[in-house]
Amino acid sequence: MQYKNARKKLQVAITKSKSEHFKRMCTEADSDPWGGAYRSVMSSLKGKRSPPITCPKLLQNIVDTLFPEDVNYTNLPKVHVNPDEIPEVVEEEIFDAASKLAENKTPGPDGIPNIALKVAARSAPGMFAKVFTACLREGEFPEQWKLQKLILIPKPGKPLGDPSSYRPICLVNTIGKLFERVLYNRLLAVAEKEGGLSDKQFGFRKGRSTIDAISMVTGLAGAAIQDDKCCAVVTLDVKNAFNTAKWTKIVEALTKLKVPKYIVRMVVAFLLGRRLYCDSDDGEKLFPMTCGVPQGSVLGPLLWLIMYNGVLTLRLPNGVTTIGFADDIGVTIVAKCLDEIEIYANEAIWEINSWLKKSGLSLAEHKTELVLISKRRKDTTVKIKVGGKTIYSQESLKYLGVMIDKRLNFKKHIECAATKASSIAVTISRILPNIGGPRQSRRRLISRVVNSVLLYAAPVWATVLENKSNCGKLGMAYRLSALRVCSAYRTTSGEAAYVLAGMLPVDILAKESRRLYDKTYAAGESSAFRRQLARWESIERWQQRWDESQNARWTYRIIPDIRRWFERNHGELSHELTQFLSGHGGYRAYLHRFGHDESPCCPRCGNVAENAEHVIFDCPRFTAHRTRMEAVADRRLTPENIVEFMLESTDAWNQVVRELQAIHQQLRQEELRRKQGRERTIMSRS
């Protein structure tokens, strides 16, 4: 008996935990469109992953290519430090480091999950502090913490077996990552001081995003156009950047930054003696590392930024700006005439390429792209030299996921985003049938993937949605997603589908993102209040559009107040409920309109059109269903008050849904009988 009770309590706790996690995921999807909800849905859509590579020869070839050997890796300086001058690790540092460990990350070779380590660190912070302090004073990073499990993730659309077709990720021991976080926090404090990392580096830095980098590039180009100048944008790609960074250059950059000697010594200890391992058909294979920063470590990205900072601080010609995001480099060249553009661009790229070569890095020349942005009507081109390759300006280029075109009107980006989102929306529609499938809240979560694709970097290009053509292109994919969320027929208008699904129109969402990105918007308020205020303003704009629209007037008659419907606390849409709310369903007037029935009239009431209003509120065939609903509501139901009744309680909502399901089941049976009768008539005539 005790076992049964305990098992029941466990099942209740699991169900409650799943429900809370799902609600949290739905809430976070608004503020983080590329977070857990996006990854969870996309992992399901992509299907099974490719099997791991286990061929020893192929593994050796991939590792040799992705992790090249540096014969000078041992030429690192010996750093002498007085142990008494090293600040000891305190418990507050352990708490802070543990709080930054993500609980859903895959554990490293030690098999310790992050959640277990976080519990241990909170329970005995003093023990971790003593161990880490000893490591700092002895200048040792334990060997077992430097063992890395190599995971090769195939790049989509690339040929399997080619080393460049894989993205290497290294799983490191969890305790080592905790120690790395302590070092990271101390090193970051030095790197972010004045005179440290360049303001033009946006990757791996708090408060600096891809949108910031894209905004800087487009802002420089927009300002150039306003001043009647031209702007060339060049994107440069560094070959296998993180795995080829020279350790000697990292240490040189740390010394130049005036990092405390004990941290420099720990970085040397962190780098030396690193090993990769992976499983193969011949057993476990070990590979030594002699350069690069581990992709998957905590300290690796910061070490890369410090080493790479030199390329962003080069002295370049006036009008030339370099913008970095991790290893990506964007170069903008602003000048009055095209000859100056070419001269300054070639000089800047020569300087950048020279610095990269001295640092042991190299450009992927064939991946260099160039676009010339100007107001000139006459098509003009410029060319630049990158190594031994000549690059000509093109219509557009992709920078950090955004297509930048020569007129800076983002037309190409809108087209690409709409195409990609439409493909995903079609895939989603196959797994979300109108009848059956997940409930509406889960459908909405799945559809957030379409939102994420459509609204990527929206603060940069949201203003171009004033153009109806651009708005319409995004709206096609967004409408398809909304139809699947509310289980509506494809003939339902976008305006009705958005209201029923509780999805703000895509252009309003884009402008909301732009408002939130603006630092002056509701300045001084908390981020939660700013998001809430922006959402209220968006709903007000949506309501105004809903009031003025000429479409979906039946739905408007039932749901005139968007806010109350949008913010309801209960009620999931079903296919039958959506048919009633949209007016698009198994009613003869609707079927006749699209050629699926010979008459629009009600079979009982003669010349009266059989539409949603007649069936639910007037037709004598369904008096019993109507009576049961009105008995619960204690009033006569009309199109103007039925939703108000449904929103009163869960029981009221469920009562209406049950009666609608029964009504539509009867309508469907009558439709099938009429169809069979027509088929028999046709057969008899033939």
Side-chain angles (χ1 to χ4, degrees):
M1 191 64 169
Q2 290 180 346
Y3 170 75
K4 288 184 177 180
N5 292 335
R7 185 175 65 178
K8 186 176 181 179
K9 287 182 180 179
L10 177 61
Q11 290 172 343
V12 170
I14 291 173
T15 302
K16 183 179 179 181
S17 176
K18 285 182 176 180
S19 176
E20 290 176 351
H21 179 75
F22 177 76
K23 290 178 181 177
R24 186 166 61 251
M25 186 184 293
C26 292
T27 303
E28 292 173 351
D30 278 332
S31 57
D32 184 12
W34 302 96
Y38 176 83
R39 292 192 296 270
S40 177
V41 174
M42 287 304 294
S43 63
S44 300
L45 294 180
K46 289 179 180 178
K48 295 182 179 179
R49 292 183 177 179
S50 302
I53 297 174
T54 56
C55 174
K57 290 184 178 180
L58 182 56
L59 278 173
Q60 187 70 53
N61 182 37
I62 291 173
V63 171
D64 289 345
T65 304
L66 297 181
F67 300 91
E69 182 181 2
D70 179 16
V71 295
N72 298 318
Y73 78 98
T74 57
N75 295 339
L76 297 175
K78 300 292 183 181
V79 183
H80 301 285
V81 183
N82 183 355
D84 296 332
E85 297 177 356
I86 300 175
E88 66 178 13
V89 178
V90 296
E91 293 185 0
E92 287 73 15
E93 290 182 276
I94 301 298
F95 290 135
D96 181 68
S99 67
K100 300 291 174 55
L101 294 176
E103 296 182 0
N104 59 345
K105 295 293 184 180
T106 305
D110 57 9
I112 301 174
N114 282 358
I115 189 171
L117 184 64
K118 292 177 77 168
V119 172
R122 290 167 183 163
S123 302
M127 178 185 67
F128 287 93
K130 288 180 181 179
V131 172
F132 294 165
T133 299
C135 291
L136 287 177
R137 291 182 173 170
E138 295 177 14
E140 292 292 336
F141 197 96
E143 291 292 327
Q144 58 268 35
W145 294 355
K146 293 190 280 190
L147 184 64
Q148 306 167 177
K149 183 175 182 179
L150 177 63
I151 304 294
L152 297 172
I153 301 177
K155 296 179 181 178
K158 299 287 185 177
L160 297 179
D162 185 353
S164 63
S165 300
Y166 299 92
R167 182 174 290 107
I169 298 295
C170 300
L171 302 181
V172 297
N173 285 320
T174 313
I175 299 180
K177 290 175 75 172
L178 187 65
F179 186 34
E180 283 185 61
R181 177 60 65 178
V182 173
L183 292 173
Y184 176 92
N185 290 339
R186 294 189 176 191
L187 181 55
L188 183 66
V190 179
E192 292 290 1
K193 284 183 178 179
E194 186 177 352
L197 294 177
S198 169
D199 290 337
K200 298 182 182 68
Q201 173 60 267
F202 295 91
F204 304 130
R205 299 179 72 181
K206 187 177 181 180
R208 293 169 176 266
S209 65
T210 53
I211 298 177
D212 295 321
I214 298 164
S215 294
M216 177 172 279
V217 171
T218 56
L220 290 169
I225 291 176
Q226 288 182 353
D227 293 341
D228 244 358
K229 295 180 180 179
C230 297
C231 177
V233 178
V234 184
T235 56
L236 305 173
D237 186 88
V238 181
K239 289 181 182 177
N240 196 22
F242 297 103
N243 297 321
T244 54
K246 303 296 183 185
W247 292 348
T248 53
K249 296 298 179 182
I250 292 175
V251 175
E252 286 178 14
L254 291 171
T255 305
K256 184 178 179 181
L257 196 60
K258 297 181 180 180
V259 173
K261 290 183 178 180
Y262 79 93
I263 295 181
V264 176
R265 185 177 68 168
M266 281 308 308
V267 169
V268 172
F270 168 76
L271 294 173
L272 287 174
R274 303 200 74 85
R275 294 174 299 162
L276 296 169
Y277 88 90
C278 54
D279 297 322
S280 74
D281 293 336
D282 293 343
E284 189 177 278
K285 299 279 289 183
L286 281 171
F287 306 96
M289 283 186 67
T290 59
C291 63
V293 292
Q295 297 189 54
S297 68
V298 174
L299 200 54
L302 182 55
L303 295 178
W304 166 264
L305 293 185
I306 293 172
M307 187 278 295
Y308 202 55
N309 194 56
V311 76
L312 300 177
T313 56
L314 290 171
R315 289 188 177 182
L316 300 175
N318 290 334
V320 177
T321 307
T322 54
I323 298 97
F325 190 89
D327 61 327
D328 289 320
I329 302 176
V331 184
T332 61
I333 306 98
V334 177
K336 195 71 176 176
C337 63
L338 300 183
D339 290 340
E340 289 180 337
I341 291 279
E342 290 190 355
I343 293 171
Y344 294 162
N346 282 309
E347 183 178 344
I349 291 171
W350 186 88
E351 291 285 352
I352 292 170
N353 204 9
S354 298
W355 186 92
L356 291 173
K357 287 181 179 178
K358 290 177 183 177
S359 302
L361 303 171
S362 59
L363 285 175
E365 298 173 2
H366 65 286
K367 292 185 178 180
T368 302
E369 293 184 294
L370 167 65
V371 65
L372 177 65
I373 302 172
S374 73
K375 291 193 298 186
R376 301 182 183 186
R377 294 184 178 180
K378 182 180 178 181
D379 287 337
T380 53
T381 59
V382 293
K383 63 179 185 293
I384 58 174
K385 293 280 290 184
V386 182
K389 192 174 181 63
T390 301
I391 307 295
Y392 292 89
S393 59
Q394 53 199 39
E395 295 289 316
S396 62
L397 59 77
K398 180 181 281 190
Y399 178 64
L400 299 179
V402 171
M403 300 298 297
I404 300 176
D405 51 60
K406 64 181 183 180
R407 294 287 181 260
L408 206 62
N409 56 20
F410 298 102
K411 183 178 179 181
K412 184 68 174 178
H413 176 77
I414 297 295
E415 292 175 354
C416 291
T419 301
K420 182 178 179 180
S422 295
S423 176
I424 295 174
V426 169
T427 303
I428 289 176
S429 67
R430 293 175 183 150
I431 63 174
L432 297 178
N434 281 344
I435 301 175
R439 61 180 184 268
Q440 185 196 359
S441 56
R442 296 188 180 276
R443 288 169 178 264
R444 188 184 294 116
L445 180 65
I446 293 172
S447 73
R448 295 288 173 87
V449 174
V450 176
N451 295 23
S452 299
V453 173
L454 289 175
L455 297 175
Y456 173 71
V460 177
W461 50 260
T463 54
V464 305
L465 293 185
E466 299 294 343
N467 183 308
K468 290 185 178 180
S469 175
N470 291 333
C471 190
K473 290 174 183 176
L474 295 185
M476 286 190 291
Y478 193 70
R479 175 178 171 272
L480 180 57
S481 175
L483 291 175
R484 279 294 172 259
V485 170
C486 63
S487 302
Y489 284 112
R490 63 181 181 179
T491 54
T492 305
S493 67
E495 290 92 333
Y498 301 152
V499 171
L500 295 179
M503 296 168 57
L504 280 84
V506 66
D507 60 317
I508 293 179
L509 279 176
K511 292 171 184 175
E512 179 183 301
S513 297
R514 185 175 177 83
R515 287 199 302 278
L516 289 171
Y517 181 71
D518 184 0
K519 300 296 189 295
T520 63
Y521 177 75
E525 301 290 347
S526 67
S527 58
F529 179 80
R530 292 177 74 246
R531 285 197 298 270
Q532 188 178 38
L533 180 61
R535 179 52 54 90
W536 285 344
E537 292 178 2
S538 296
I539 292 177
E540 286 179 2
R541 288 184 171 87
W542 189 14
Q543 181 67 58
Q544 182 180 358
R545 185 180 298 181
W546 184 233
D547 293 338
E548 297 172 355
S549 175
Q550 299 301 313
N551 296 327
R553 292 301 85 185
W554 166 249
T555 305
Y556 178 79
R557 187 177 169 189
I558 301 175
I559 311 175
D561 187 353
I562 288 179
R563 184 183 295 279
R564 191 171 182 198
W565 175 262
F566 185 78
E567 296 178 350
R568 68 184 189 274
N569 295 320
H570 65 269
E572 300 271 0
L573 289 182
S574 65
H575 182 46
E576 293 79 13
L577 178 56
T578 296
Q579 289 182 65
F580 162 63
L581 295 174
S582 65
H584 289 231
Y587 313 109
R588 293 196 76 182
Y590 172 82
L591 296 172
H592 176 73
R593 176 184 169 191
F594 293 98
H596 297 299
D597 207 316
E598 56 190 8
S599 171
C601 297
C602 174
R604 173 74 67 87
C605 304
N607 293 326
V608 178
E610 184 188 271
N611 53 27
E613 181 178 8
H614 175 74
V615 167
I616 306 303
F617 300 102
D618 299 319
C619 187
R621 288 179 294 166
F622 307 106
T623 300
H625 302 287
R626 194 177 307 117
T627 301
R628 283 194 291 268
M629 288 191 290
E630 293 179 347
V632 176
D634 196 24
R635 58 184 177 272
R636 175 173 171 74
L637 293 179
T638 66
E640 287 72 25
N641 68 12
I642 189 168
V643 165
E644 180 183 348
F645 163 61
M646 294 170 65
L647 296 180
E648 288 177 0
S649 67
T650 304
D651 291 339
W653 183 285
N654 292 337
Q655 177 68 31
V656 173
V657 170
R658 281 195 297 269
E659 299 304 333
L660 287 176
Q661 287 175 342
I663 290 171
H664 282 89
Q665 185 177 7
Q666 182 175 334
L667 289 175
R668 179 60 176 165
Q669 292 171 351
E670 292 177 1
E671 178 190 348
L672 290 175
R673 284 196 293 269
R674 290 194 301 270
K675 183 178 179 181
Q676 292 169 356
R678 289 195 299 271
E679 291 175 351
R680 284 195 295 269
T681 301
I682 293 172
M683 291 292 293
S684 63
R685 290 176 179 175
S686 62

